[in-house]
Amino acid sequence: MENPQHNEFMKLHAIPLTRPFVIQVVGHKNTGKTTLVCRLTELLKQRNYKVGTVKSDAHDFTMDEPGTDTWRHQQAGADITAISSSRRSAILSNKPSSLAELLVHMQHVDIVLVEGFKREKHPKLVLVREEVDAGLLASLSHISAAVLWPGAQSLPAVSERLNGLPVYSINDAGEIAAHILSQAAKHL
């Protein structure tokens, strides 16, 4: 199905999209990163955008189920295992991948929402819940906007570090999605 918003978006700028727009959602633990990424994904999908997501995990994770064929391949020592069906595909690798390596697999989408990878150089939405989170506003580069929990803006360490950044409420995913689309338009 054709995406009228995407077509209008492309006509407006008359420049073909050569790669997806990448925006990072960063913050300390329990600031709502995953919840926001999921909500933004839903909203962007409702507008017919193709959305990719990437998650940085500080812990080891499991994606495969014991007993499946791919699990058995990995248990046998495969360094990389791929699986594909009529509906989806996945690649499991026994080495960490950089964000750039992961993004290579997402060239067919319009927008990639990246949870984490704080030190990468893509535009960032910085989530701030408590005063300790304000340090990210000072230490990170490429901050596109601050996303604040209720009451966070009144914290002195937060308010003094906003420096004219756009500020959104964590509860206003629609406005945050509009910000992302605005930034994507500048990206073209």
Side-chain angles (χ1 to χ4, degrees):
M1 186 168 103
E2 238 180 84
N3 177 341
Q5 287 99 355
H6 181 74
N7 290 344
E8 185 176 316
F9 187 67
M10 295 307 288
K11 284 179 194 172
L12 179 64
H13 299 284
I15 300 171
L17 186 62
T18 57
R19 61 187 180 102
F21 177 67
V22 177
I23 189 157
Q24 297 174 246
V25 177
V26 301
H28 292 303
K29 187 175 175 145
N30 295 321
T31 53
K33 297 180 300 294
T34 300
T35 300
L36 182 60
V37 166
C38 292
R39 186 65 186 123
L40 291 170
T41 300
E42 292 167 351
L43 290 170
L44 293 166
K45 291 298 294 175
Q46 287 171 7
R47 295 178 185 180
N48 294 317
Y49 287 97
K50 292 179 183 173
V51 179
T53 62
V54 177
K55 162 90 173 136
S56 173
D57 190 4
H59 314 286
D60 199 15
F61 65 90
T62 304
M63 283 189 63
D64 218 354
E65 295 290 323
T68 63
D69 292 346
T70 53
W71 179 85
R72 291 176 60 204
H73 292 192
Q74 291 282 292
Q75 290 300 303
D79 295 302
I80 188 166
T81 300
I83 185 169
S84 185
S85 72
S86 63
R87 292 187 28 236
R88 57 184 6 173
S89 61
I91 298 173
L92 302 172
S93 178
N94 285 327
K95 72 168 194 65
S97 296
S98 70
L99 180 56
E101 290 170 324
L102 296 170
L103 291 174
V104 165
H105 300 284
M106 298 195 177
Q107 296 303 303
H108 64 288
V109 301
D110 300 311
I111 297 170
V112 179
L113 303 171
V114 176
E115 182 178 338
F117 291 93
K118 288 183 187 101
R119 301 294 169 209
E120 291 290 331
K121 293 179 173 33
H122 297 283
K124 293 173 184 61
L125 300 174
V126 178
L127 278 63
V128 178
R129 186 174 197 157
E130 299 172 352
E131 199 147 7
V132 68
D133 303 325
L136 292 175
L137 294 171
S139 66
L140 296 179
S141 65
H142 300 88
I143 298 174
S144 177
V147 178
L148 306 182
W149 281 78
Q153 191 162 357
S154 63
L155 298 170
V158 175
S159 61
E160 65 191 35
R161 289 189 172 105
L162 291 175
N163 299 327
L165 281 173
V167 175
Y168 299 97
S169 166
I170 188 74
N171 297 316
D172 201 350
E175 284 296 315
I176 299 167
H179 173 80
I180 291 170
L181 293 174
S182 168
Q183 295 297 299
K186 293 176 187 174
H187 168 73
L188 290 179

